[in-house]
Amino acid sequence: MKTIYEDMGLQRVINACGRMTALGVSAIHNEVAEVLVKAAQNYVVIDELMDKTGELISIYTGGEDACVTVCASAGIMIAAAACIAGDNWNCIKKLPDSTGMKNEILIQKGHAVNFGASITQMLRMGGAVPVECGQVNLVTREELETAVTEQTAALLYCKSHHCMQKGMLSVEVMAEIAHNHGLPLIVDAAAEEDLHVYLNKGADLVIYSGAKAFEGPTSGFITGRADLIKKCKMQYHGVGRVAKIGKEGMTGLVKALELYSKKDEKREQKRQQELVGKILEDLKEFPFIQGEMSRDDAQRLIYRAKMKFSPDSPMTAQTVMEKLKEGNPAVYVRGHEAQGGVLYIDPRSISEEDVKSIINKLRAVLKEDAQDKGE
Ligand SMILES: *Cc1c(COP(=O)(O)O)cnc(C)c1O
């Protein structure tokens, strides 16, 4: 069956990358789709829905309360605004101009990443002056502690495969430093799947994307301390208004979290490993590609098919990746190590049928090259 995007004259996309915003993040389940339709077709008092949604999200996170957002980036902005303007209406209405307020938010330099947009820009939209501490690959406790001043409003920790994976201070140490100074610790865990670990390690506010690991609609949430969550919600009458989430997004997110909580993790891992095993078997026909199973480098429970192109391969990994995107269907593989001759196939969003399409496309791309060379 054609996708709605093909009806619009666009390519069908086989997403072998993972949860990429550029490809539509994730696809919702039928049960979530039903909830979206029902919610969109009726009215409700939005403030009450927002409180109820927060209450329901908290069942899954163990936080005292939660504030629903339109995405994780909005969550970063709103959490920053809440730590700076608090519940002072004059301050809330003045943001992102935070002149005269405590407005510095400390972040380790190896965490000041770009996830498609810059994390520090999201902080600035909430009125923060981001203060990057230490060096890109090394931050000491002393460097962070001496950066705390009278102007500090909060500390931010980012958990992501985008971040420097070594030389950074842990969530626990960041929480200790924050709390020694009576400051909150915010954790950006946008793409993470563990709903409890950061709160358990001492974070005061934790931000998640609803569409990444939890396969919800476009949405996000902040979970944690009730007093801070109340302040987060108040920002919807200030900077948060540009990031308004609809009623269908709120209800759809709750449904997605419910389904996620019932998900059989072991079965999903088995499915991933079997699919990757099948891909590795199929890859044997390509003499220049060495395949192996590879665990996610941010230690999430994701197994991917790693394709290492040998140095004498007639076509570079980068060229193969680009060529796979051409035509219909377009195949997108994970290419953050393409320069080093490595591509990955992420099994999360693909079916066995898709695997066939990927291998066919790979064959066509490599054969086309052989023809170009007159072989
Ligand atoms: C994806 C991501 C975000 C942004 O999440 P959205 O829901 O797309 O706004 C923020 N931080 C990190 C680390 C991410 O990976």
Side-chain angles (χ1 to χ4, degrees), residues 21 71-73 76 115 158-160 162 188 190-191 209 212:
T21 290
C71 58
S73 317
I76 300 168
F115 50 75
C158 178
K159 175 73 172 72
S160 168
H162 296 297
D188 170 11
S209 167
K212 287 180 176 171

Side-chain angles (χ1 to χ4, degrees), residues 1 151 168 279 290 360:
M1 206 173 70
Q151 275 301 103
M168 297 294 111
I279 296 166
Q290 188 200 335
N360 284 339

Side-chain angles (χ1 to χ4, degrees), residues 76-77 80-81 84 95-96 98 102-106 120-131 153:
I76 300 168
M77 174 183 77
I84 293 164
L95 291 185
S98 58
K102 281 189 177 192
N103 59 7
E104 291 181 359
I105 296 192
L106 309 187
T120 53
Q121 182 177 27
M122 303 304 121
L123 291 173
R124 285 200 302 274
M125 292 207 301
V129 175
V131 177

